[in-house]
Amino acid sequence: MNSHDIKTSLPFPKSFWTAQQTTPEFPVLKENHTTEIGIVGGGIVGIISAYLLAKAGKKVTLIEAGRLINGVTGHTTAKITAQHSLIYDQLIKTLGEDKAKQYYDANIDGLEFIRQLIKELSIECAYETKDAFIYAESHYGKRKLEREAAAYQTLGINGELAKEKSDLPFPIKEALVMYDQAQFDPVLFLTALVREIIRLGGTIFEHTRAMEILKETTPLILTENNFLILCEKIIMATHYPINDADGLYFTRLSIHRSYAMVTRATGKIPEGMYINVEQPARSIRSVQGKDGEPLLLVGGEGHQTGKSSQKTIFHYQDLEEFDKKYIGGQSPLHMLSSQDLQTLDKFPYIGQMIKQCDTILVATGFNKWGMSAGAVAAKLLTDTILGQKNRYASLFDPTRKKLKLVDTKTFLWKNTSVGKDFVVGKLKRPDKKLSDLALDEGGLVSVQGKKVGAYRDEQGHLHKVVPVCTHLGCSLDWNDAERSWDCACHGSRFSYKGEVLEGPAVKPLPSSDI
Ligand SMILES: Cc1cc2nc3c(=O)[nH]c(=O)nc-3n(C[C@H](O)[C@H](O)[C@H](O)COP(=O)(O)OP(=O)(O)OC[C@H]3O[C@@H](n4cnc5c(N)ncnc54)[C@H](O)[C@@H]3O)c2cc1C
Ligand code: FES
């Protein structure tokens, strides 16, 4: 099948979680506003922080560029676990036993925190306690699991090698279990907190993008419509931090996109939550459909944003093939894709955004494990604002020095290729003429000798943009699965019409009048 046939055979990518229920809507900010704590970004970090601070009696205002819980948190796999694939053996080797143990403790605390909150507020969010497994299909993978199992023992982690406990319907060489982890529906969970924020006197604005954070004595948020929000403190919960004038984050984050689909299954859906050792990545869990129907979620196929080795739609096709062949998945009901940030030492950056300024706080770099860690972040940021001690403050301090590279090869490779995009990307040749574009096809085209980003929609209308990222000027790549323009440098994404889908960019792409 060619990419067009695959596209027409699959549903349009959309969050599975937001498709299950309607989330409350909030107005756009239409005047200047004063608050104590300004929170930018309505994902797991922003919403839990707003809830905790409102509960502590603070005047809280949360602004969201689009709709709440529609960023990465709305497109996640939503396993709440401290089993972050293979990590503890590596952490012990690079950062030592103490830090590896603290990382584990922090994530178990994050999991417990979510568990408690659900109990306290009686939130119905399909929360289920589950065992988490990493599985290996090769001898090489098995050896890796054995080393990771030894690290579990060293750190006192509640888990072990347990191939016999796996209920995957295909043969594996080994499995490493971490007991008593969990999964949930993040949109149901966070929607309940949003209602609590409002009940506690908090204020929320949607479709209100922060364009700039002004680091005055009293910090200010400048919004898209030129309104100001005067704050005592600001939490930047935008996933990728905006306004990184000092370049502290751009040089220390890399961005990775991956894919998932939800299907019915012919056989029994595995009970456990699974992730594999080998490549391509495969992540498996059960989910509940609208009427509680048991469904299967399979994810994987990651690559650096804006740098896929094949047309992005083929990643969905590869996942579908795996799903059908190995787990008995049927035709996809939902497809979703999303991206997350990796840090140099695999620990997120949580705390004061820059050393010299204690009024602006940030949480980012969850390395695809931002459920437990997102809760940890919200608690840490809240404690910082309330002047309370938090045992993980120095571990996750964004300005920490001596960041030891845990995965040197991958990180350096990715960031060197970012540099190349700056220079080489701009010289990339368009591969098509405008007249070559079929319906529902996009790409870089040459018009009057100039490079234009064009998409011909299903009705035949052409949408032309200047295909240069409004963040720092890197060249953009066409993402045919999502019909978006993606930037490999820091992961900004734009719709085919040029609207910002994901930052750090805050300005839309100009349309091209050529
Ligand atoms: C495919 C995939 C699967 C994953 N699976 C898991 C998993 O199973 N378990 C796990 O623990 N983690 C998982 N993660 C990671 C986890 O989902 C993320 O780390 C987490 O959701 C990040 O939350 P956040 O609040 O930082 O960001 P987001 O949820 O993206 O929230 C940020 C919000 O800020 C808004 N925003 C951005 N810029 C602005 C601006 N200028 N003004 C106003 N608002 C703005 C955005 O619109 C967005 O709503 C996965 C990630 C991916 C990509
Ligand atoms: S140049 Fe930074 S995201 Fe595009």
Side-chain angles (χ1 to χ4, degrees):
M1 273 209 276
N2 63 31
S3 65
H4 184 260
D5 293 342
I6 300 168
K7 263 196 276 188
T8 46
S9 73
L10 294 172
F12 193 86
K14 186 177 178 352
S15 159
F16 166 73
W17 311 108
T18 52
Q20 302 296 302
Q21 58 268 318
T22 42
T23 46
E25 292 188 33
F26 294 94
V28 179
L29 178 72
K30 288 195 177 139
E31 59 189 3
N32 293 338
H33 179 86
T34 305
T35 190
E36 274 180 276
I37 317 293
I39 298 178
V40 188
I44 190 164
V45 175
I47 292 174
I48 301 186
S49 303
Y51 163 73
L52 290 175
L53 287 159
K55 197 174 163 208
K58 292 283 178 192
K59 187 174 175 197
V60 171
T61 302
L62 187 155
I63 62 165
E64 163 56 50
R67 296 289 328 274
L68 294 175
I69 336 172
N70 206 20
V72 190
T73 307
H75 293 77
T76 179
T77 317
K79 299 173 181 170
I80 322 169
T81 175
Q83 188 186 65
H84 295 178
S85 200
L86 292 175
I87 189 170
Y88 293 104
D89 176 52
Q90 249 183 338
L91 287 181
I92 292 174
K93 284 182 182 135
T94 47
L95 302 171
E97 248 176 75
D98 260 12
K99 287 194 171 165
K101 177 76 165 80
Q102 277 187 62
Y103 182 78
Y104 169 72
D105 288 347
N107 282 286
I108 290 294
D109 285 0
L111 164 63
E112 277 310 317
F113 177 81
I114 292 177
R115 210 190 306 257
Q116 276 307 319
L117 213 50
I118 289 171
K119 205 167 146 198
E120 205 178 297
L121 300 174
S122 308
I123 303 174
E124 291 198 5
C125 57
Y127 179 91
E128 292 175 277
T129 297
K130 293 270 176 188
D131 294 334
F133 292 86
I134 317 173
Y135 68 90
E137 291 170 281
S138 65
H139 288 294
Y140 177 68
K142 181 172 186 254
R143 279 198 297 279
K144 283 191 165 185
L145 285 187
E146 286 161 358
R147 286 199 292 275
E148 188 74 356
Y152 277 29
Q153 270 208 325
T154 308
L155 301 177
I157 294 176
N158 181 19
E160 59 188 334
L161 290 173
K163 183 181 163 189
E164 70 290 350
K165 292 195 173 137
S166 144
D167 65 339
L168 284 173
F170 54 88
I172 56 170
K173 290 265 180 301
E174 189 52 279
L176 174 65
V177 63
M178 191 180 281
Y179 294 110
D180 291 337
Q181 306 298 292
Q183 62 182 30
F184 70 162
D185 178 328
V187 172
L188 281 176
F189 169 67
L190 291 170
T191 300
L193 291 194
V194 165
R195 295 209 167 92
E196 280 298 303
I197 295 168
I198 299 303
R199 192 184 65 76
L200 293 163
T203 308
I204 299 178
F205 296 103
E206 287 185 312
H207 303 291
T208 301
R209 182 176 297 280
M211 300 301 279
E212 220 178 317
I213 308 292
L214 305 167
K215 301 179 188 99
E216 312 297 312
T217 330
T218 309
L220 295 162
I221 302 168
L222 174 66
T223 69
E224 210 164 6
N225 300 330
N226 282 323
F227 297 115
L228 286 171
I229 306 178
L230 189 71
C231 316
E232 286 173 15
K233 304 254 180 190
I234 293 174
I235 292 182
M236 176 104 69
T238 51
H239 191 234
Y240 207 123
I242 61 163
N243 232 180
D244 180 21
D246 307 310
L248 186 67
Y249 295 84
F250 301 155
T251 50
R252 303 191 311 158
L253 287 168
S254 72
I255 185 118
H256 211 248
R257 200 161 179 83
S258 47
Y259 302 79
M261 57 179 48
V262 174
T263 61
R264 294 196 173 92
T266 45
K268 188 173 170 292
I269 293 171
E271 279 291 323
M273 306 187 294
Y274 291 90
I275 194 155
N276 64 341
V277 176
E278 290 89 5
Q279 289 297 321
R282 299 289 179 238
S283 171
I284 301 163
R285 61 160 283 191
S286 58
V287 292
Q288 290 178 19
K290 265 191 185 138
D291 311 319
E293 181 187 8
L295 299 170
L296 177 65
L297 187 153
V298 174
E301 290 288 314
H303 61 82
Q304 189 188 344
T305 300
K307 280 228 173 295
S308 174
S309 57
Q310 56 181 349
K311 281 195 168 183
T312 48
I313 197 74
F314 289 117
H315 292 295
Y316 283 119
Q317 191 190 31
D318 291 348
L319 264 190
E320 190 187 7
E321 270 174 28
F322 166 81
D323 193 358
K324 282 189 173 155
K325 186 168 167 193
Y326 290 94
I327 329 182
Q330 298 180 345
S331 299
L333 302 169
H334 284 275
M335 306 194 320
L336 52 155
S337 84
S338 190
Q339 59 193 36
D340 209 8
L341 295 152
Q342 186 187 331
T343 63
L344 289 168
D345 57 5
K346 295 218 165 181
F347 289 177
Y349 303 135
I350 310 167
Q352 242 174 260
M353 186 158 172
I354 51 172
K355 227 185 184 91
Q356 311 83 307
C357 172
D358 68 356
T359 49
I360 301 169
L361 307 176
V362 73
T364 188
F366 295 115
N367 202 23
K368 292 198 183 157
W369 296 108
M371 296 293 105
S372 53
V376 173
K379 178 78 173 64
L380 200 165
L381 297 180
T382 304
D383 285 348
T384 309
I385 287 173
L386 299 176
Q388 287 163 5
K389 271 206 149 96
N390 185 297
R391 64 183 279 228
Y392 305 116
S394 72
L395 190 71
F396 298 133
D397 179 358
T399 63
R400 61 189 178 268
K401 292 232 168 71
K402 294 187 187 148
L403 283 169
K404 280 199 187 154
L405 281 172
V406 168
D407 185 4
T408 321
K409 247 174 46 197
T410 318
F411 206 91
L412 288 182
W413 178 82
K414 281 180 190 159
N415 278 305
T416 312
S417 67
V418 165
K420 274 195 202 141
D421 254 281
F422 243 0
V423 190
V424 182
K426 287 199 169 174
L427 307 176
K428 227 186 268 170
R429 281 176 176 271
D431 46 12
K432 281 190 163 62
K433 287 195 275 188
L434 210 48
S435 54
D436 294 338
L437 290 181
L439 292 184
D440 194 19
E441 189 182 6
L444 290 176
V445 296
S446 175
V447 183
Q448 295 165 16
K450 296 228 167 99
K451 189 166 81 173
V452 173
Y455 169 67
R456 193 185 299 278
D457 67 24
E458 308 240 33
Q459 285 70 43
H461 300 131
L462 268 172
H463 303 268
K464 291 180 287 170
V465 294
V466 178
V468 178
C469 183
T470 56
H471 177 229
L472 292 176
C474 285
S475 182
L476 298 172
D477 257 49
W478 177 245
N479 174 341
D480 66 329
E482 319 293 319
R483 286 75 159 177
S484 64
W485 290 102
D486 297 1
C487 181
C489 284
H490 315 105
S492 291
R493 296 181 55 246
F494 304 84
S495 74
Y496 61 81
K497 292 180 179 167
E499 302 132 327
V500 179
L501 297 175
E502 298 192 50
V506 289
K507 291 187 189 144
L509 299 178
S511 53
S512 165
D513 50 10
I514 302 174

